[in-house]
Amino acid sequence: MVCSDIQCLRSPSTSHALPAIPAVASHSGFARRVRLTRRCRGYEELGSSHAGATGSHSKRASLHICASQSRPLSFKQRWRSFKTAADEQTAKAKDAIGSLPPVQALANAVHMADQKLGPLYNLLKAIGKWWDAQVERYAEFGGEEVKRQWEWKRRTEAERSLWVSIGQFLGMSLLTAFWEAITPVSIFWGAILPLFLAWILYDRPFFSPIVVTLILMTPFKFPPGYNVRLI
């Protein structure tokens, strides 16, 4: 015989007479009750009762409450039972709300609006696809442009630095030559002040354009036998 955790299916041939409950008329309900049962000693098999329950409506199986002690349900079983009951109640509530006339009228109105606005939705979708394609093309173009600029800078960076250095050297040399041409023949204005500026402006002052130009201009600035002043 098979017994459940709460109640047991018992043959009426046993000595203990307990109040009978109606037999299950449907196969699904009977299978659900059997799945919740466990085996008990001294009770017969349920094969004939299952056949009577799933056969004709004239056959009935006698089901009795089991008098033996039942094992308490675990927390996991209780949680599953509660979850199943909650899902059933939720489904019933959804069906009840969906069957209300205002809800049905609203659903019909939304469906009709979707049918009427279908062409507009399709047009907006096509516009969105076209816009996404344009954005993707622009992103690809921008990426290629940035890549070309980076390659050009990488190839021409050394050349650009060289020409910048040459321009700065020539400019400072011309400025130093002009300074030596307009200042008087004195050691302070013609030598000490330019050397001080080269020491401040350059990390390697002796290779700076100021010092190089000063060396080249020395024979012309301080010719031999000319009276040179200190200031």
Side-chain angles (χ1 to χ4, degrees):
M1 186 55 194
V2 182
C3 298
S4 68
D5 292 340
I6 301 176
Q7 60 183 2
C8 177
L9 307 178
R10 187 174 183 182
S11 173
S13 61
T14 56
S15 59
H16 297 284
L18 296 174
I21 61 176
V24 181
S26 64
H27 173 70
S28 61
F30 183 83
R32 186 164 55 250
R33 184 179 295 276
V34 170
R35 283 197 301 270
L36 297 175
T37 60
R38 64 183 176 85
R39 294 191 177 278
C40 297
R41 295 181 57 187
Y43 296 103
E44 62 186 7
E45 299 294 330
L46 292 177
S48 60
S49 299
H50 182 274
T54 58
S56 62
H57 291 285
S58 60
K59 296 180 181 181
R60 294 292 184 268
S62 299
L63 306 176
H64 298 277
I65 300 176
C66 182
S68 62
Q69 265 190 335
S70 61
R71 185 176 59 185
L73 296 176
S74 63
F75 176 76
K76 189 175 182 180
Q77 292 173 340
R78 293 177 185 274
W79 172 251
R80 287 180 178 177
S81 177
F82 171 77
K83 188 177 179 181
T84 302
D87 292 341
E88 291 178 356
Q89 294 297 329
T90 303
K92 290 180 180 179
K94 287 182 179 180
D95 294 339
I97 294 174
S99 62
L100 294 176
V103 177
Q104 291 181 354
L106 180 61
N108 294 332
V110 172
H111 181 67
M112 292 179 62
D114 290 338
Q115 290 181 348
K116 296 294 184 182
L117 298 176
L120 180 60
Y121 292 156
N122 295 332
L123 178 61
L124 293 177
K125 187 182 296 184
I127 293 174
K129 289 182 179 180
W130 175 84
W131 180 257
D132 293 338
Q134 298 303 318
V135 170
E136 185 176 358
R137 288 180 55 191
Y138 181 77
E140 292 179 358
F141 170 77
E144 293 295 331
E145 187 67 21
V146 171
K147 184 177 179 181
R148 286 194 295 269
Q149 290 180 1
W150 177 79
E151 290 179 352
W152 182 83
K153 288 181 179 180
R154 184 173 59 87
R155 289 195 305 266
T156 59
E157 185 67 25
E159 183 180 356
R160 185 185 68 85
S161 301
L162 177 62
W163 284 109
V164 169
S165 300
I166 292 174
Q168 291 177 353
F169 189 90
L170 291 178
M172 186 58 66
S173 298
L174 292 176
L175 184 62
T176 305
F178 178 75
W179 174 261
E180 293 294 330
I182 64 174
T183 55
V185 182
S186 65
I187 297 176
F188 176 79
W189 295 104
I192 297 177
L193 185 60
L195 290 175
F196 179 73
L197 292 176
W199 178 71
I200 292 176
L201 297 177
Y202 295 95
D203 296 331
R204 301 169 63 184
F206 292 102
F207 296 94
S208 64
I210 296 177
V211 175
V212 172
T213 306
L214 185 63
I215 293 173
L216 295 176
M217 292 287 294
T218 300
F220 304 97
K221 181 68 175 180
F222 306 102
Y226 195 81
N227 186 18
V228 180
R229 298 180 301 176
L230 180 62
I231 298 178

